[in-house]
Amino acid sequence: SNLVSQVSVFDGAFAYLRIGKIESGLSDAFKSAYQKLAATNKLKGVVLDLRYASGTDYAAAAQTADLFIKTEQPLLQWSDTMARSTAKTDAIALPVAVLVNHQTSGAAEALAAMVREAQIGLVLGTNTAGQASVFKEFSLKDGQQLKVASVPVKLANGKEIPASGVKPDIEIAVSARAEKAFFQNPYRKPKYLATSTNPNNLNGTADTNVPRRRLNEAELVRLQRQGLTPDQEYFDEPSPVTESTKPVLHDPALVRAIVHAESAFNP
């Protein structure tokens, strides 16, 4: 569906749920998808991917955030509505990492902000679009519709979600082209990983056939220090997966989200 558009498990332990659009029915679709993953995997964390997600249904955003909160508390306010979480015993209690980018807009921004405000998880990526407002439509003389942001959306603490967008806890900047490529296939290998002969490169060796589980935190830091970002002219295709090798994740935002969830996991 375009509500939960992709569901998978990485490293056998990290639930990945990608949201397409925030609209009515999302919380039920999300809960159902999550429960299916939890039934067949020993999960350690949840990655909620809101990159490119949009929508204006703030009630649906609050209901989805509510899945992670076990107590009753205020979550979000817009116009004359205040959304609250409900007390429950089956809240999702795993570490959460939320992925956002410049095209995370509207109710998706509100969902990311609520997850952080309730101290459920970290937000990773780049500033969101800054469109978390209630819009009014005006008809122009030429028949076109003009949408004007009229009412800001506020978090439980009364803070408005700013027009500059939701600022991530951990910034992970890649070029728009690279981000799109990773979004389509997180196993795509940027060209520099395949051709670098620098002894400090991410593979640690010029032999690119060495199977590797994934980049760890130290390697990500080294990548950033060297000023390398995955925005080369083109990408290699993902390495063929054989029985003996695990595919390697190259999407830096997703890798960092899993590193965070793994380090925060406390069984």
Side-chain angles (χ1 to χ4, degrees):
S1 76
N2 70 337
L3 295 172
V4 180
S5 60
Q6 195 174 315
V7 178
S8 45
V9 175
F10 290 108
D11 277 6
F14 299 95
Y16 172 88
L17 297 104
R18 179 184 290 179
I19 307 300
K21 194 138 193 185
I22 309 248
E23 51 193 24
S24 180
L26 173 60
S27 61
D28 288 341
F30 189 96
K31 187 174 185 179
S32 165
Y34 172 79
Q35 285 174 339
K36 278 183 193 156
L37 293 182
T40 52
N41 297 277
K42 208 168 165 52
L43 296 176
K44 291 183 183 176
V46 179
V47 178
L48 174 57
D49 195 343
L50 296 175
R51 291 175 294 181
Y52 308 101
S54 61
T56 54
D57 193 329
Y58 293 101
Q63 286 156 5
T64 305
D66 180 31
L67 297 173
F68 296 90
I69 302 170
K70 57 177 188 258
T71 57
E72 191 204 333
Q73 60 188 73
L75 291 178
L76 197 69
Q77 187 177 356
W78 66 100
S79 301
D80 299 325
T81 307
M82 168 65 88
R84 304 179 71 88
S85 59
T86 55
K88 66 187 82 58
T89 54
D90 62 346
I92 299 169
L94 294 171
V96 180
V98 184
L99 301 183
V100 297
N101 66 2
H102 295 316
Q103 292 179 62
T104 303
S105 67
E109 296 177 83
L111 177 52
M114 280 185 280
V115 168
R116 176 164 63 201
E117 183 64 27
Q119 298 185 335
I120 300 160
L122 287 188
V123 177
L124 301 90
T126 51
N127 268 40
T128 62
Q131 293 171 5
S133 298
V134 177
F135 288 86
K136 270 190 178 164
E137 286 202 2
F138 297 93
S139 297
L140 302 178
K141 283 181 181 171
D142 61 5
Q144 289 188 309
Q145 294 288 311
L146 176 67
K147 280 175 83 174
V148 177
S150 61
V151 181
V153 175
K154 295 179 183 177
L155 292 166
N157 60 8
K159 278 188 203 155
E160 292 179 7
I161 298 175
S164 55
V166 174
K167 188 173 163 52
D169 298 298
I170 298 172
E171 185 167 355
I172 299 166
V174 296
S175 73
R177 189 162 178 268
E179 185 166 52
K180 203 75 168 167
F182 285 131
F183 190 72
Q184 287 162 355
N185 186 341
Y187 296 105
R188 290 189 83 163
K189 188 190 288 186
K191 191 65 182 161
Y192 67 74
L193 281 179
T195 57
S196 174
T197 51
N198 178 339
N200 296 321
N201 76 358
L202 294 175
N203 290 321
T205 161
D207 180 3
T208 56
N209 296 320
V210 178
R212 193 174 179 86
R213 189 159 154 272
R214 60 164 189 267
L215 303 182
N216 64 27
E217 190 95 30
E219 290 160 332
L220 273 168
V221 170
R222 187 163 64 227
L223 169 67
Q224 287 172 333
R225 277 204 191 119
Q226 289 178 292
L228 292 171
T229 51
D231 56 358
Q232 306 301 319
E233 275 307 293
Y234 61 98
F235 290 75
D236 278 4
E237 285 310 301
S239 323
V241 179
T242 64
E243 294 283 313
S244 61
T245 62
K246 280 177 84 173
V248 183
L249 278 178
H250 288 297
D251 177 348
L254 181 54
V255 169
R256 188 66 183 267
I258 291 172
V259 168
H260 160 67
E262 191 161 46
S263 63
F265 179 65
N266 187 11

